[in-house]
Amino acid sequence: MSATFATIDSPLGRIELTSDGEAITYISIEGEGTPHGRLQHGGRPGNPDAVITQATKELGEYFAGTRKDFDVPVKLVGTPFQQAIWHELLAIPYGGHASYGDLAARAGNPKAARAVGGAVGANPVPIIVPCHRILAGNNKLTGYSGGSGVPTKIQLLDIEGIEYK
């Protein structure tokens, strides 16, 4: 099945969703100064399929504060290590957070915090796979590869009431 996409407006700015017809495969948040801040299809409206329509509805509910968990299916393509880290991200509840070291330990390699950072930054489906919930070990803000970087991360943390330094 070929990929479809749609661009939607959000409190973060424009978001582009890509689907293979069965699951969301990629989300980009428009912004400046980050590798993932560019919309692949130039912000064109696209042609949403049923999966994108569901994701759009769920994201709207998330931004409105009425949704804490996503039901839309996602397909995460990456290395086995990346997949393990993305799976751990999905286990962090709404309003919760973890550190890179926490994720490394959960993935069975407590000394791999730097590699975890690379996997978190490569997350193809931000927001739904909540990479924004990762803070430094002392609860300090760290980078964010989507949208406009840290300002976008702060918006997401604030939506969920996650405290940071």
Side-chain angles (χ1 to χ4, degrees):
M1 186 167 269
S2 65
T4 60
F5 76 94
T7 303
I8 63 170
D9 290 323
S10 83
L12 305 176
R14 293 187 304 173
I15 295 176
E16 190 176 270
L17 304 146
T18 304
S19 161
D20 67 0
E22 296 175 4
I24 296 297
T25 57
Y26 194 79
I27 292 177
S28 56
I29 306 165
E30 188 173 42
E32 304 217 4
T34 66
H36 299 289
R38 224 180 69 237
L39 301 179
Q40 290 182 335
H41 296 97
R44 294 191 320 267
N47 186 19
D49 61 17
V51 175
I52 290 173
T53 299
Q54 179 183 352
T56 298
K57 177 182 180 288
E58 291 182 13
L59 284 166
E61 293 166 351
Y62 171 82
F63 291 125
T66 60
R67 176 172 288 274
K68 298 192 183 332
D69 298 298
F70 291 94
D71 297 319
V72 67
V74 296
K75 188 176 292 178
L76 303 169
V77 178
T79 68
F81 180 76
Q82 287 173 326
Q83 297 232 358
I85 297 306
W86 299 334
H87 177 75
E88 293 300 331
L89 289 173
L90 287 166
I92 303 168
Y94 180 97
H97 63 84
S99 71
Y100 295 98
D102 294 336
L103 285 182
R106 290 180 196 169
N109 192 347
K111 296 185 181 196
R114 189 173 296 264
V116 166
V120 169
N123 172 16
V125 186
I127 306 170
I128 295 173
V129 177
C131 53
H132 60 277
R133 296 179 186 156
I134 303 303
L135 302 172
N138 57 4
N139 288 356
K140 284 197 174 181
L141 280 173
T142 55
Y144 190 68
S145 61
S148 294
V150 172
T152 300
K153 182 173 189 164
I154 288 170
Q155 285 181 277
L156 290 165
L157 294 172
D158 288 349
I159 286 168
E160 296 188 28
I162 299 171
E163 293 186 24
Y164 54 88
K165 297 178 184 176

